[in-house]
Amino acid sequence: MTTRSGPEPGHGRAHDGPDPGLDAIMSERRHLINIAYRLLGSLAEAEDAVQEAYARWYAMSSERRDAVDSPGAWLTTVTSRVCLNLLGSARVRRETYVGEWIPEPLPERTEWSTARPDGGAVDPADRVTLDESVNLAFLVVLESMTPAERVAFILHDVFCHSFAEVGEIVGRTPAACRQLASSARRRIRATRPSPAPAAQRADIVRDFKQAWEAKDIDALIGLLDPDATAVADGGGLATTFLHPIEGGEQIAHAWVELARRKPGDMTFLERKVNGQPGLVAEQDGATVTVFAFDVAGGRIRHIWVVRNPEKLRRWTTAR
């Protein structure tokens, strides 16, 4: 079994404990969660994939485990293969999804909910490293790729695995994996122009919030690209628009109507979404909507609205 070429930024190593072998194995968890989230766009599914990899590890006899040269590389391979299979079935599942499907948004590391739906505590190791490869706009582009393209691109370009290692995971030659990653890069270049500087993105999102709260249609239109799109994900569990809204003027009118219907106890707050400037709506002390933005050329090109409560479990109230 090969070893991975480079660790995920901030990925911890084994520390002293009563079972050094177990400790070393479990120290891989954050790296595996980071890979799986980027591959699947869902933290819940990522956790399931990693759990499956660990289950397969401990299903082996101790002799077979001892024969593995690099447990971390073994776990990475199995996790990636599980994700590859899930990506294939996800396309079928999403055909029956109510409305549009948007990747699960993540809050800042300091603002994660401290409890799981099952009542347990969130392990800090589950937290995903927020960088450009988890920008929601980036994850949306990944959704347009074939499963093999997505796996090849993420493992090679983001996590620095060799194409030989990627080939072992996806069952293709290194040359074929190189072509898959190249195709993925072309998709990204074709759909994502150079993003605006971080400070400009924050300013534009702030201006959008102020214009929205003021119900200023002209200001909103000026902040939106004429060909902008807005997509919402309620998953059939929360009320929202089912079909994308196309055109900056149409979005501006829709957002003013949202402002007019806003409940009195709902507040809009500036928050980072997957490490990028965004907004959240809070009501009765809970996050009920997350808004992510793609800004380029000084204007907003895309807005993603996530209202599916199953995708908002990581979000806490404002501080």
Side-chain angles (χ1 to χ4, degrees):
M1 180 65 65
T2 55
T3 59
R4 66 171 181 264
S5 300
E8 176 266 323
H11 173 53
R13 286 294 158 208
H15 51 78
D16 294 335
D19 185 348
L22 174 63
D23 197 54
I25 289 296
M26 296 311 296
S27 74
E28 298 292 331
R29 181 174 173 81
R30 181 180 173 196
H31 177 75
L32 300 175
I33 290 287
N34 270 272
I35 289 176
Y37 173 73
R38 287 163 174 81
L39 291 178
L40 300 173
S42 164
L43 194 53
E45 291 183 356
E47 290 172 333
D48 288 344
V50 172
Q51 187 66 25
E52 173 64 19
Y54 275 109
R56 294 185 188 184
W57 172 261
Y58 284 108
M60 295 193 300
S61 66
S62 58
E63 291 79 10
R64 288 186 63 191
R65 293 199 299 268
D66 290 342
V68 175
D69 292 335
S70 172
W74 189 96
L75 288 165
T76 295
T77 296
V78 173
T79 298
S80 299
R81 286 175 178 166
V82 171
C83 290
L84 185 62
N85 291 334
L86 286 173
L87 284 170
S89 62
R91 297 196 168 205
V92 176
R93 294 198 310 274
R94 288 170 193 169
E95 289 177 358
T96 61
Y97 192 82
V98 178
E100 300 289 326
W101 190 94
I102 297 174
E104 179 181 346
L106 299 180
E108 284 287 90
R109 293 173 62 85
T110 58
E111 296 188 357
W112 279 47
S113 173
T114 57
R116 295 185 186 279
D118 60 11
V122 168
D123 185 342
D126 291 350
R127 298 181 180 177
V128 176
T129 300
L130 301 177
D131 59 26
E132 189 61 28
S133 67
V134 293
N135 182 324
L136 207 64
F138 187 82
L139 293 177
V140 169
V141 176
L142 294 181
E143 286 295 312
S144 69
M145 299 179 184
T146 68
E149 282 177 338
R150 188 165 182 168
V151 172
F153 175 78
I154 291 297
L155 290 180
H156 179 268
D157 285 40
V158 178
F159 289 94
C160 303
H161 287 266
S162 69
F163 285 120
E165 293 173 306
V166 176
E168 182 180 353
I169 290 168
V170 301
R172 305 196 187 191
T173 66
C177 292
R178 187 183 300 276
Q179 291 180 342
L180 288 170
S182 178
S183 174
R185 289 186 213 109
R186 286 196 297 271
R187 287 179 186 265
I188 292 172
R189 286 195 298 267
T191 57
R192 292 205 65 210
S194 299
Q200 184 185 39
R201 277 180 276 178
D203 288 343
I204 289 175
V205 170
R206 183 175 298 113
D207 290 344
F208 182 88
K209 173 179 177 289
Q210 292 172 352
W212 182 13
E213 292 175 326
K215 306 180 185 65
D216 188 337
I217 287 182
D218 290 337
L220 288 171
I221 292 174
L223 291 165
L224 290 157
D225 186 280
D227 297 320
T229 61
V231 179
D233 179 345
L237 302 174
T239 303
T240 191
F241 52 96
L242 291 177
H243 304 290
I245 301 173
E246 300 181 353
E249 187 170 344
Q250 289 77 6
I251 293 172
H253 282 279
W255 252 246
V256 167
E257 185 61 27
L258 288 174
R260 288 174 179 154
R261 296 182 182 183
K262 181 180 75 69
D265 60 347
M266 179 179 288
T267 57
F268 297 126
L269 303 163
E270 294 179 40
R271 288 289 182 271
K272 290 289 185 68
V273 180
N274 286 52
Q276 304 297 320
L279 301 173
V280 302
E282 292 189 350
Q283 189 174 13
D284 295 329
T287 297
V288 294
T289 311
V290 169
F291 302 87
F293 299 83
D294 184 27
V295 178
R299 290 189 173 187
I300 296 169
R301 298 176 65 245
H302 301 287
I303 304 175
W304 294 282
V305 182
V306 180
R307 285 184 49 78
N308 185 340
E310 293 184 349
K311 296 183 178 182
L312 301 179
R313 291 172 174 171
R314 311 289 168 173
W315 293 76
T316 63
T317 58
R319 283 172 169 75

